[in-house]
Amino acid sequence: MVVDPAGGTESSDSSNNKNADAMLYSQEASRYLQEHQLDESLKAYQKAADCYGLEESVIASVNAAGCYRNMGAVSRLLGNYNEAVSFLRRAEDLYSLAKERIRQLVSEDGNRENSSEALCLDLMILETIQSRATFHFQQQNDVVSAVNCHEDCIELLLELNNSKNEQEGALVNGVFFSRLPQDKQTELI
């Protein structure tokens, strides 16, 4: 039996085989990427993500999310921007699912509300949303969607800072983030 520190137990045979297969597919995808065989890389990342599946384990969710993030990057290189955005959204969803599982486990144990693992996942979510914003803006010239992504980042940063007042903003590593006033958003668009 394999114990996932943040997701319970799994049978050792099926879990180990799936994880080993997923790792092999990920390595294959990386090799294809280095060889500029982008379609093959995308297929291999999809196989890896499928191996991780929708298991209850945090580790499997995070690994699958990483595959989807990579698939978004490969899709961008292929010029498939809508597909890239879809893959990034899927990665965000899986990172969020893993974060909620960690928070649930932490609260069940009676420990502090936010664990460092949940914070790391929040940072992965932020990076993924920022990647999506870049795709929207640079590849699709979609300013509205890019601004919406940045608003999602601000919302997450406010949540991380436990800020109740959206006008306050959030201070992260010495940088102050706040929502863009509606009139300024209109000027951008």
Side-chain angles (χ1 to χ4, degrees):
M1 194 66 75
V2 174
V3 177
D4 176 348
T9 59
E10 303 171 337
S11 70
S12 60
D13 289 341
S14 68
S15 177
N16 286 341
N17 287 341
K18 282 201 259 183
N19 287 335
D21 289 346
M23 288 174 53
L24 288 173
Y25 285 127
S26 289
Q27 290 169 354
E28 182 178 290
S30 295
R31 190 185 80 243
Y32 283 133
L33 186 59
Q34 290 173 348
E35 296 169 356
H36 303 288
Q37 296 181 36
L38 302 180
D39 289 322
E40 295 304 316
S41 178
L42 193 60
K43 289 175 190 174
Y45 277 127
Q46 182 64 62
K47 288 178 182 178
D50 291 344
C51 286
Y52 289 122
L54 296 176
E55 298 177 31
E56 292 300 312
S57 106
V58 170
I59 293 170
S61 293
V62 170
N63 288 337
C67 289
Y68 280 102
R69 253 184 102 178
N70 290 338
M71 290 164 62
V74 172
S75 293
R76 180 187 61 80
L77 292 172
L78 286 166
N80 300 332
Y81 304 121
N82 290 333
E83 184 176 79
V85 168
S86 294
F87 286 136
L88 290 173
R89 285 185 188 273
R90 182 69 179 130
E92 290 169 43
D93 291 343
L94 288 167
Y95 286 134
S96 294
L97 177 66
K99 179 180 80 171
E100 291 309 313
R101 286 181 183 152
I102 288 172
R103 286 192 175 154
Q104 182 180 24
L105 290 167
V106 168
S107 68
E108 287 172 4
D109 291 342
N111 292 332
R112 59 194 163 106
E113 184 180 331
N114 291 322
S115 67
S116 60
E117 291 86 358
L119 179 60
C120 288
L121 288 169
D122 284 326
L123 296 176
M124 293 302 295
I125 293 167
L126 285 169
E127 287 179 12
T128 305
I129 294 171
Q130 288 291 25
S131 294
R132 194 163 47 88
T134 301
F135 289 171
H136 285 307
F137 185 71
Q138 291 180 347
Q139 274 77 36
Q140 298 175 314
N141 201 25
D142 184 353
V143 175
V144 173
S145 294
V147 168
N148 288 338
C149 288
H150 289 293
E151 291 290 315
D152 290 345
C153 287
I154 296 297
E155 187 175 313
L156 183 54
L157 289 168
L158 290 169
E159 177 188 320
L160 290 173
N161 264 8
N162 295 319
S163 179
K164 306 295 183 229
N165 181 355
E166 291 186 3
Q167 300 304 318
E168 288 177 17
L171 186 63
V172 179
N173 293 331
V175 178
F176 184 75
F177 295 89
S178 65
R179 292 190 181 277
L180 194 60
Q182 189 65 39
D183 61 327
K184 296 292 183 193
Q185 287 182 21
T186 307
E187 285 178 27
L188 283 174
I189 298 168

